[in-house]
Amino acid sequence: SFPIHCLPKITHCLTFEWLDNQTKLANGEAEIHHRPKRGWIWNQFFVLEEHMGPDAQYVGKLHSNSDKGDGSVEYILTGEGAGTIFVINEVTGDIHATKSLDRERKTHYVLHAQALDRNTKMALEPESEFIIKVQDINDNAPKFPDGPFVALVPEMSEVGTSVLQVTATDADDPTYGNSARIVYSILQGQPYFSVDPKTGIIRTALANMDREAREHYTVVIQAKDMAGQVGGLSGSTTINITLTDVNDNPPKFPQKNYQLYVPESAQVGKPVGKIKANDEDLGVNADIKYSIINSEGANMFSISTDRDTREGIISLKKPLNYERKKTYTLHIEGMNTHVDPRFSYLGSFKDTATLKITVGDVDEAPVFSMDPYIMDVYENAPSGTEVGAVTAQDPDSRNSPVRYFLDSEEEGERFFRIDESSGVIWTTQPLDREDMPWHNITVMASEVDNPSLLSHVPVTVQVLDVNDNPPEIATEEEVIVCESSRPGQVIQTITAVDKDDFANGQRFFFALPSQLPVNPNFTLKDNEDSTASIIARRRRFNHLIQELYELPIVVWDGGEPSLSGTSTLTLRVCPCQRHGRIRMCQGEAFLSSAGLSTGALIAILLCIVILLAIVVLFITLRQNKKEPLIISEEDIRENVVTYDDEGGGEEDTEAFDIIALRNPAAAEELKFRRDVRPEVRQHCGPPRSCRSPSVELDEVDVHEFIKQKLVEADLDTSVPPYDSLQTYAYEGQGSPTGSISPLDSPGTHSEQDYNYLDDWGPEFQKLAELYGEAESEMTT
């Protein structure tokens, strides 16, 4: 082995090892065989940081076993910091650090060493890598990166209550020595707080710290490295600790007795005074609820808490009266609303005080004996009629005289006046209940000695009714009379109205005027229930003959004295349509159902007229351009001509005389006009001796009649020149009873009453009219 070269003050050295093989010879000597390959074994180099000496710091020495000391070996250093920070002696292999190093910036450097033959520049040893580590020294003091700190802790906390944990950091190497081993201590803040030397947790060290005595504390904590030994570096930080409030103080009134002056004119519900209890706590812990604990004060006054000022606001519950009671005593209690049970041992969190209230005498306005007044007077009473009286009195001990007057701004002054001394109210003009049944006036009263003090009272005057208005018929609309009305039929039920007020209900009586002649068309029936019925006296009204009728009706009321009035109703005759019990005039029904205005109806009628004109013009043009039935002479064949001629229905009784068909012998003799009914006159003797013309015509032979018709058809030039079919109905001859047809039979007048057809509805309306006309003709 080669000698070991150690660096001064360094525990790690660079060791070189020379490896040989020995062979034992016969003469006992040992033959040394040098290995052709030599190497070196490296260990780490160390260099102290922050070297401040004038000379370069010696790091170590490189030496190859090939170096004979003759300078033939050249040492070369490469890598991090080679040539700038670290330099090497090429001949001796000594390494020096030329600059001061900082471990906190760079902890180690990696370099490469090589030994060369100075002459041939050939490598004597392969290139090897080694590390130079910067050895730490205690050159960094502990620091608090987050400081300064703010902490809160409740007052009255127990000893050892955790407040805050602080942590310091040290940039030195924690794995080497005690450079980064920190110990905490408290420099300021004792004896109130302490700190754990290892964890940095700050705790309370004094019991019952009172916020009201001292609220803020400043604590300084020191962190020292080298485990707190002498020579270690240190850093400190400040913690501002504030004690938070708890409810540990009861409210206190500054004094036990208070006095307050309140005038008797104070308004009910308004504040009259204040009182306040002090509480050294903060926030909700200082909230106070005030109350009046004695009945004398609680009946007249109330107290509430002002949340902003925490004062007790005293208000008046009832009016004060100096003449009745001059002083009041209030026992007021103030109590915390949020009590912490942990501090119940401190006592009850409430306090009491006594407030004496003195009522002040004030000149008050007169007081009315009633509020309000209700009076009554009959309508039409003459001016100056007494309505009633009001009374007011001065509540003060002087009992000054009172003056009365009405409010000039109200309308009631036109109808009433008041005696300013007695308070009696009179009317100024007759009153009309139907115009204004109630009057509201305001009476004011003032002291004669002090007119500025006024009091008001409302007075309601009811106008009582007297029977001074005649009754009237309630309906203002026209009464509809159906054309089909029958004698005894109720046209309409009417009622009456009266502006007067009847306490037991209105009662009316109806009748037709006695001075007028009997009405031939209508009569009136009093139903004895304040209604009357208009009844038809004849049948068959016709709106074409007379559309409007007037019916005067006299109505009496049941008052004292009884008054009567005459109303004239207008009755309109209309063809009726029945919809249950509702009867509407046809024209009115059409207009009312349409719901159209006059302008809209005129526009619709104009459109209809224009459409009709267009249709007539179109039909006229088509008739002028009508083609002949036979287009050409060669086109002669049977043709079918269709005539769509619709009969007149039930009303068409004059269109065709069927007697000619039933009596062939009278075909020529009875060719009457179809638009005029022929006058058939018979001269008969005793009853049942007259024979029907149809019976006499039945004696003619029908064969002759058909032959005659055939000749007429052949000679008629107006018919088409092709075959046509004509059909004739014939009852036959020799019937002993004659024809059963009622068309031309004399028949006797039936005594049956056909008035029930009016009740069968609109479908039988025409039939009812026909029988009605026949009955009228027979009666005539």
Side-chain angles (χ1 to χ4, degrees), residues 445-466:
S446 66
E447 295 181 9
V448 176
D449 299 335
N450 189 1
S452 61
L453 293 176
L454 296 176
S455 58
H456 306 74
V457 66
V459 178
T460 301
V461 179
Q462 180 184 10
V463 181
L464 303 178
D465 183 58
V466 296

Side-chain angles (χ1 to χ4, degrees), residues 593-605:
S593 62
L596 301 176
S597 62
T598 305
L601 291 175
I602 294 174
I604 293 174
L605 291 176

Side-chain angles (χ1 to χ4, degrees), residues 291-303 315 317-318 328-331:
S291 60
I292 302 174
I293 58 178
N294 65 319
S295 59
E296 177 187 356
N299 291 334
M300 292 295 296
F301 298 91
S302 63
I303 189 169
S315 302
K317 292 175 64 176
K318 297 179 181 180
Y328 293 89
T329 300
L330 279 66
H331 297 296

